[in-house]
Amino acid sequence: MSNNGYLLNFWVAAVAWEAGKPLVIEEVEVAPPQANEVRVKILFTALCHTDVYFWEAKGQNPLFPRIFGHEAAGIVESVGEGVTELKPGDHVLPVFTGECKECAHCKSEESNMCDLLRINTDRGVMINDGKSRFSINGKPIYHFVGTSTFSEYTVVHVGCLAKINPLAPLDKVCVLSCGISTGLGATLNVAKPTKGSTVAVFGLGAVGLAAAEGARIAGASRIIGVDVNPSRFEEARKFGVTEFVNPKDHKKPVQEVLAELTNGGVDRSVECTGNIDAMISAFECVHDGWGVAVLVGVPHKDAVFKTHPVNILNEKTLRGTFFGNYKPRTDLPSVVEKYMNKELELDKFITHTTTFSEINKAFEYMLKGESLRCIIRMEE
């Protein structure tokens, strides 16, 4: 029997039956894990903008009914055949991208883009057999990015689970399984600002603020926040942002404004909006000779990046990153340790909490622009 008194393998999940409609709390059958899979009891999950984007289904293939959620923390309940790295009771972070440890990307020190387990937003089934592990009255319910954490129990490929310190508070470190690590790693692993350098961060949502946090940890002397929403500026000071630029306040392109402010350009920039104009500005605002711009945001599928080739010839570097260049299984445990050692602050990212039965409140907070991260407690 489960904690809810239901038959074994039946638990509660928040199901999205159609695009843009409130999630419905349902009794769902969660099948046991198959080969290389793990069934995880989710204790805390958070709402990320990516969940909202695919729930709205305005710009991509709609796939419903579906269980969303990908930023979470939980405890291993059972493991399938061939799983040796994890055992029941281990504390884990599910991650939307994986690390098989066998492919060329996983074996490369430079890449974290696993051939087998790279994010696939269109796939709603497990890669082992092409079937869902969720069902209601025999009807399959689709998975989301291999995690589906808006469920008391979920089934995840072992390569998409990072085993972490069991002493780490799961209600805090759950936010490291997506957005915060993405922004943090974009700065620390890819931009790599030196102590005393100048960093511009485009977009002051949760990912951008995590990028600013990375610049603070790296010892940047100036962290310039660029955003068209002035209400975000005061909050950003908590994350080390020292000054602000609103592109709407200037008649000239924001890259020119930043170049004037910084004697020729910033040393590093991190773009976290997905807006193509912001991406171009982030690249063009870095200093010639040594400037590095890192793109984090995901642009519209038809967007085109345009810049004059002389920007490249003048030794400005353009980099892209995926999940902050962290390999989930290898690297996330050490990011959790940064929090445990008080090098990294997570509490300031958490602006709201709610119970699982009120999960739709988390959507309301995000749609109104009121929250950075809302933590959803699975146990009432």
Side-chain angles (χ1 to χ4, degrees):
M1 303 288 282
S2 79
N3 290 338
N4 300 294
Y6 303 139
L7 291 173
L8 192 64
N9 298 336
F10 282 83
W11 288 286
V12 171
V15 178
W17 287 101
E18 53 185 307
K21 295 294 176 66
L23 306 189
V24 181
I25 303 296
E26 304 274 15
E27 181 182 315
V28 176
E29 182 172 6
V30 185
Q34 295 194 14
N36 297 314
E37 296 174 0
V38 178
R39 190 159 63 182
V40 179
K41 180 181 183 180
I42 300 296
L43 293 180
F44 298 94
T45 186
L47 180 65
C48 170
H49 186 265
T50 303
D51 295 305
V52 176
Y53 180 70
F54 283 90
W55 166 73
E56 290 179 319
K58 292 178 179 176
Q60 49 337 84
N61 298 325
L63 188 61
F64 296 92
R66 203 169 200 180
I67 296 174
F68 286 101
H70 64 283
E71 200 170 273
I75 298 174
V76 172
E77 181 260 354
S78 58
V79 302
E81 181 186 346
V83 175
T84 57
E85 287 189 21
L86 293 172
K87 63 184 185 304
D90 284 343
H91 288 211
V92 291
L93 299 181
V95 185
F96 64 89
T97 184
E99 180 185 355
C100 73
K101 297 193 175 183
E102 300 294 331
C103 71
H105 282 278
C106 285
K107 290 180 178 179
S108 165
E109 292 184 5
E110 298 178 37
S111 174
N112 68 336
M113 301 185 73
C114 177
D115 283 334
L116 179 68
L117 300 169
R118 191 180 306 183
I119 186 173
N120 183 335
T121 57
D122 291 332
R123 185 176 63 229
V125 293
M126 300 299 289
I127 61 174
N128 186 51
D129 61 356
K131 295 180 181 178
S132 173
R133 300 291 174 263
F134 301 111
S135 62
I136 297 179
N137 298 324
K139 176 183 173 63
I141 308 296
Y142 292 111
H143 294 249
F144 179 62
V145 296
T147 52
S148 292
T149 61
F150 292 167
S151 177
E152 286 185 307
Y153 285 78
T154 188
V155 177
V156 181
H157 191 285
V158 65
C160 294
L161 290 168
K163 180 181 176 181
I164 62 166
N165 185 341
L167 299 178
L170 297 182
D171 60 331
K172 301 294 193 298
V173 298
C174 63
V175 299
L176 289 174
S177 64
C178 180
I180 309 310
S181 294
T182 295
L184 187 74
T187 302
L188 294 178
N189 298 336
V190 188
K192 297 180 180 177
T194 56
K195 191 174 178 64
S197 59
T198 302
V199 179
V201 177
F202 286 72
L204 298 176
V207 176
L209 293 175
E213 178 79 354
R216 180 191 69 79
I217 291 170
S221 62
R222 296 175 69 185
I223 304 172
I224 305 170
V226 182
D227 201 298
V228 295
N229 184 353
S231 68
R232 289 179 164 175
F233 290 170
E234 199 53 45
E235 182 81 16
R237 294 186 191 278
K238 301 176 187 174
F239 298 84
V241 175
T242 57
E243 51 204 287
F244 307 94
V245 173
N246 185 341
K248 290 183 176 180
D249 292 342
H250 303 274
K251 293 181 180 178
K252 62 178 69 173
V254 71
Q255 52 266 48
E256 294 180 18
V257 175
L258 290 166
E260 290 176 4
L261 280 173
T262 56
N263 193 27
V266 297
D267 301 308
R268 302 287 186 268
S269 71
V270 185
E271 189 285 326
C272 303
T273 71
N275 177 287
I276 194 65
D277 294 326
M279 291 180 163
I280 294 167
S281 296
F283 175 55
E284 294 184 353
C285 80
V286 299
H287 205 290
D288 56 11
W290 61 78
V292 177
V294 179
L295 305 186
V296 179
V298 179
H300 187 277
K301 60 183 176 60
D302 298 324
V304 177
F305 188 99
K306 294 181 179 179
T307 191
H308 198 284
V310 76
N311 286 311
I312 308 282
L313 296 172
N314 284 342
E315 300 177 14
K316 296 183 179 186
T317 300
L318 181 63
R319 295 284 308 272
T321 181
F322 182 71
F323 192 53
N325 270 48
Y326 286 119
K327 293 179 187 282
R329 298 161 86 182
T330 300
D331 298 332
L332 268 194
S334 64
V335 182
V336 170
E337 292 310 309
K338 281 185 184 293
Y339 170 73
M340 297 296 282
N341 297 334
K342 295 185 168 50
E343 297 172 55
L344 170 64
E345 299 172 14
L346 293 180
D347 299 62
K348 59 193 178 185
F349 287 99
I350 300 167
T351 52
H352 296 77
T353 60
T354 188
T355 59
F356 189 42
S357 61
E358 296 183 312
I359 189 171
N360 289 301
K361 279 189 176 179
F363 281 76
E364 292 172 17
Y365 295 142
M366 184 160 284
L367 289 169
K368 291 177 182 176
E370 295 175 356
S371 70
L372 290 176
R373 280 296 181 268
C374 177
I375 303 299
I376 300 153
R377 297 191 310 276
M378 302 303 291
E379 296 181 342
E380 298 289 322

